[in-house]
Every structure is written in structure tokens, then in C-alpha cells.
Amino acid sequence: MTIAARSFEPARYGRFTIVLHWLLGLALIAEIIFGFLLDDIAPRGTPERTGVINLHKSIGIVLGLGIALRLGVRLAQAVPPFPATMAPWKQTAAWANHRLMYACMIVQPLSGYIGSNFSKYGVKFFGTAWPAWGPESSAVYAFFNNVHVGSSWVFSALILGHIAVALKHGLVDRDGIFTRIWVASTSRR
């Protein structure tokens, strides 16, 4: 590591952005794990299945609103610049990963919500049935469910890569990238 990299004092995200990043990130990881474990928690054909699926849908809707807030904050605020010591290809990879994660954050809840409106079960938000706006169609439901599940796998891979690279920046490189979003020192804003 060079002296320039060691002395780099990174511009940080604002406190609200940092807290939102960590809360939403942890909640999304938990919801994805919950989704992958649905069949283990409540196997198909069991009486518990409906309640568990509706809980997953309800949490997904709440997270969808959190994602909309996060996207709005992201679009309204400038992103702190990368250090000059960071290779251009790494900067491009970081931007690509973030954009793909945002795409998954949009596609995942939307595909689940849209697909549910074409199923015979519809959407129950914490026990309150919402009127379906689509006709029951197993083909349309299957398409959106496949998008939902597929984007879950893609998003999981992107999250794992994001975490691995963030830990590398924080523990190995110590180049200030990780501290831009770390909660431990949220003195700004």
C-alpha cells in the first residue's frame, strides 16, 4: 500500500444514507433467505403455507417501499468520489455491480407483486386482501415467478460479491472505500 492510499481521507455518505444502506441491506438479505427457505418452513400443500407466503409478500412490499426510498436518496445525492489510487477498471466494476444490484432490487419485488396479481391467491398485506388487478393466469404467474426466483439468485451472487469486495477494501486494502459507508463513524450530517 502506498503512502497516498494510507493518507486518503474519503468523502463519506451522509448519516441517513449510511443507516438506510445497512438496514435495507440486512433486511433484503433476510428476505432473500426467507424466500429460499419457504418450502422448508411451510411445505407446499400444508395449512401453514398460505400464512408464510403472505408474510413473505407483505415483507417484500415493505422492502419495495424501502427500495424506492433508497433509490430516491441515491438519485438525489452525489456519490463520494473514488480515491485516485483506485484503478479505473475497479471503478467501472463497482458502478456496474451497484447498477445491477439496483436493477435486482427493482425487478425482484415488482415481479413478485405482479405475479401474485395473476395467481388465484392474490396479495394479502399483513392479512388484508388487496384486490387483484389481473385475471388468474398460471402462465403469466409462472413467468413472473420465474423472474422473481431468477433475480433472487442473481441478486444473491451480486450481494456476495459486494460483501467480499467491501471486506477486501476494509480489511486488506484499507483504502477508505469501506469507511465511506461504514456506520461506526457517522459524524457527518
Side-chain angles (χ1 to χ4, degrees), residues 119-174:
S119 77
K120 63 182 175 182
Y121 303 107
V123 174
K124 285 189 180 170
F125 184 69
F126 295 109
T128 302
W130 287 3
W133 45 262
E136 185 180 331
S137 170
S138 58
V140 173
Y141 169 77
F143 171 79
F144 282 104
N145 189 57
N146 288 335
V147 170
H148 185 69
V149 172
S151 65
S152 298
W153 285 106
V154 172
F155 195 26
S156 296
L158 291 168
I159 290 169
L160 288 173
H162 180 72
I163 291 170
V165 171
L167 289 173
K168 180 181 179 294
H169 280 291
L171 300 174
V172 177
D173 299 343
R174 297 183 180 193

Side-chain angles (χ1 to χ4, degrees), residues 44-144:
R44 294 176 193 276
T46 62
E48 301 83 24
R49 180 76 174 185
T50 300
V52 171
I53 292 292
N54 284 320
L55 180 60
H56 179 69
K57 290 177 184 182
S58 297
I59 293 169
I61 291 167
V62 171
L63 290 176
L65 295 172
I67 290 163
L69 174 63
R70 177 68 185 104
L71 186 58
V73 168
R74 169 61 185 84
L75 293 173
Q77 293 180 345
V79 175
F82 291 117
T85 57
M86 189 172 175
W89 73 267
K90 289 181 181 180
Q91 293 180 32
T92 301
W95 282 113
N97 183 272
H98 282 90
R99 284 186 173 97
L100 289 171
M101 286 196 302
Y102 275 110
C104 286
M105 280 189 271
I106 293 166
V107 167
Q108 212 171 359
L110 276 179
S111 60
Y113 175 73
I114 292 169
S116 292
N117 277 280
F118 289 93
S119 77
K120 63 182 175 182
Y121 303 107
V123 174
K124 285 189 180 170
F125 184 69
F126 295 109
T128 302
W130 287 3
W133 45 262
E136 185 180 331
S137 170
S138 58
V140 173
Y141 169 77
F143 171 79
F144 282 104

Side-chain angles (χ1 to χ4, degrees), residues 10-21:
R12 292 180 45 80
Y13 287 94
R15 184 180 309 137
F16 181 76
T17 301
I18 291 170
V19 171
L20 187 59
H21 169 270

